[in-house]
Amino acid sequence: MVTKRIRVYGIVQGVGFRPTVSRYAAAAGISGSVANRGSYVEILAQGGEEALSSFLKNLEEEPPKRAVILKMEARELSDAPLYSDFQIIESEKTAGEIFISPDIAICEDCRRELFDPKDRRYLHPFINCTSCGPRMTILDALPYDRERTSMKEFPMCPACAAEYHDPGSRRYDAQPVACHSCGPVYYLLGRKERGHEAIAKTRKVIREGGVAAVKGIGGFHLVCDAENPAAVELLRRRKNRPMKPFAVMARDLAAAERECFVSPEAAEILDGHQKPILLLQKRGEGRVAEAAAPDNPNLGILLPYAPIHLLLFSYDDGLSMPDYLIVTSGNISGAPICRDDAEAEEELGGLCDVILSHNRRIRIRADDTVMALYEGAPYMIRRSRGYAPLPIRLPERFDAPVLAMGGELKNSFCIGKGGMFYLSPYIGDLTDLRTEEALRETIGRFSGLLEAEPEMVAADLHPRYRSLALAEETGLPLIGIQHHYAHILSCMAENECAERVVGLSFDGSGYGTDGTVWGGEILLADYAGFERKARMEPFLLAGGDAAAREGWRAAVAMLYGLYKDRDRVLALSESLGLAGPVKAGTILGMAERGVNCVSCSSMGRLFDAVSAVLGLRLSSTFEGEASMALEFAAEEYAERREPGRAGCSFSLKGREGEKAGLSFAEEEEMGGSGLSSAEKKERGAAGVSCAEPGGTGEAGASSTEMSDLPTSQLFHAIVRRRLAGEETGKLAFIFHEELAELAAEAAAKIGEAAGVRIAALSGGCFQNRLLLELTEKKLKKAGFYVLRHRLLPPNDGGIALGQAAAAAYRSRAK
């Protein structure tokens, strides 16, 4: 007899790993035990060599469906006692790398039982098994066992207990197991209906055009009939959300395919065990109301992932429900998703007609994950349910645990421990006090779960950001990390890159080491620090915070920067439909006096300005609206140039190296730019350089010579061609093409001078997949190996990883 101690690391808790081990042991005739140790599963396996070999082969080749084995260690023990059987034994805590399973969408077996009238869990809204159900959102502590989850409040009935202890059952050791007799229950807040009646009433409200708040796995959703334009508009009015797209839940994959182009890759993601919201191109003439995603060629589609979602579509109450429901986060805009009855009553009571809640506590909020497809693969927009808090492994290990506070908007934080860095689920915008409280609480809960006591904290440099103030609250040694540097490091970390890169960091804004607003940066960066080598040509942005919402302000300011002629700018502003003399004159007055102005190299504001000039959006009702309109116009033009692009998951085939039809030489032939040679030089045409001040309180910044991308010339060319009557979509595409060309050319010069052939793309502007593809192709043509995001958002939702990595490397350097 041989005895081996086997340790298995990865996603091995909450996925039915121990029951699977027990079944394989029985099949191979192995004695011993299996136990959760918090950071791994430990197996003591005793048997003959052949039996052990068969047992290990099964474990490696056919682990549980939802498990991810990252590492397996086996060691022979010489002094082990003889075991008479194989047991699942009491879990214990041990130190080491920790993996917390995300929540898992309902599996096909449970779905089949849910609608089987002969099954004792027929229409049970909390049905689950070892392959599906809540995990992270109900977890109090590790190891993952029922008594350390919110299910400890629901003792199992004899029938459920029998399944739980039966190695032959799908619910063997399934911690959230329950049934109608012993499990949680749904009820309507402020009303008498419970259970079946509560669900039936909620369906009736939705069917009749009302709005329901429904508590699911990670929080509440606001739900209405997506096929009913009046219902969708009602929700928009109540939530004060005039244009931002709503997510649409389709009854099943066939319904999703009727409404959108669904590639095989998209179908696999939609119907997988994470079930995120996936942005897909509309087919047109569908049943979903246009108000669900107005002026948008795409629809955010997801499939039912919790039993209650399936019951909203199909129930035994005689009602015929639509195939599509609006399912949007149950919160006030910018606040965290509501998770309990008190929050729902306070925040959602005025937004809905009925609140369907349940009595299983949500320990950690988890909003829905949002992703797009790029080249047939996932491209993350918001990382949350189903993906967080899966860790990212850095190339090296670090002794001191670190906490990174993340961004001011789209906040998620990161805890780094050893070589593992855990990014939290999406939390919200820190401009809301409720989000601050949620951030504090979730940091505390994660620190406990991960057994990590941070010894330092990393935060953005912006002196007025709440993330910085919250970091200071901790009393830990504080390391300030420049915003765009953190973006690039997040991309490097996700791609396991430890080499120096040319980083293109394009977004709306970030506090620079010189006290100005950055946002169109090309950095030479590694974990030790960065040099700012190029930037979008800066302009004076007037109007304070309003300028981030009203793109016409940026457009008027850029026109003034070009001409320095008040009368000419006022006339142009009126001709372009930007603003009348009074509103435009106010901006010019600020610029002339230097009041309420800031020097800005924000790529996001450039997109807003061009969107305004082209008459697409003068202002935005949600972040990125104007930039999205510009992208959609360009993509629509590209589709007309290359028919058949619809549903191809973004692949601009056959256009590599093709010019969009704009050159600055041609622009001069059209009548000149209106700028003298001296003015062009003053305003930073290509190749102009200036000294950049060194950072203060910044991790790794250094002084360097810096060049400006000639974006004012690009903007001016777009203005002139717009005034000449050229097509909006064509100019939108030209803008993307030429901007990508300018960025790639600058990156190539920087890379050649530094001997660096790796480029990294990050920042919210690279949510624009057209800009991403054009830039990536041009960089590859220039000889770069290009890093980009995949399962981490390029926007501020992923920035905490870069902050944590920078702080960890800096602490070790000390």
Side-chain angles (χ1 to χ4, degrees), residues 323 371 430 626 731:
D323 285 343
M371 65 170 56
L430 292 181
L731 293 180

Side-chain angles (χ1 to χ4, degrees), residues 624-701:
E625 180 181 351
S627 300
M628 285 169 56
L630 185 63
E631 176 189 1
F632 296 155
E635 180 57 21
E636 191 273 336
Y637 173 75
E639 161 64 17
R640 283 190 284 114
R641 289 181 67 198
E642 183 187 331
R645 281 176 47 75
C648 68
S649 301
F650 254 83
S651 180
L652 303 178
K653 297 181 177 66
R655 287 211 300 274
E656 188 168 351
E658 179 186 348
K659 296 293 286 182
L662 171 71
S663 69
F664 294 130
E666 179 189 14
E667 153 65 6
E668 292 296 322
E669 291 170 9
M670 290 176 60
S673 66
L675 300 177
S676 68
S677 299
E679 285 176 321
K680 284 183 184 177
K681 185 174 182 181
E682 180 185 346
R683 306 215 199 319
V688 174
S689 63
C690 62
E692 165 66 13
T696 56
E698 156 62 24

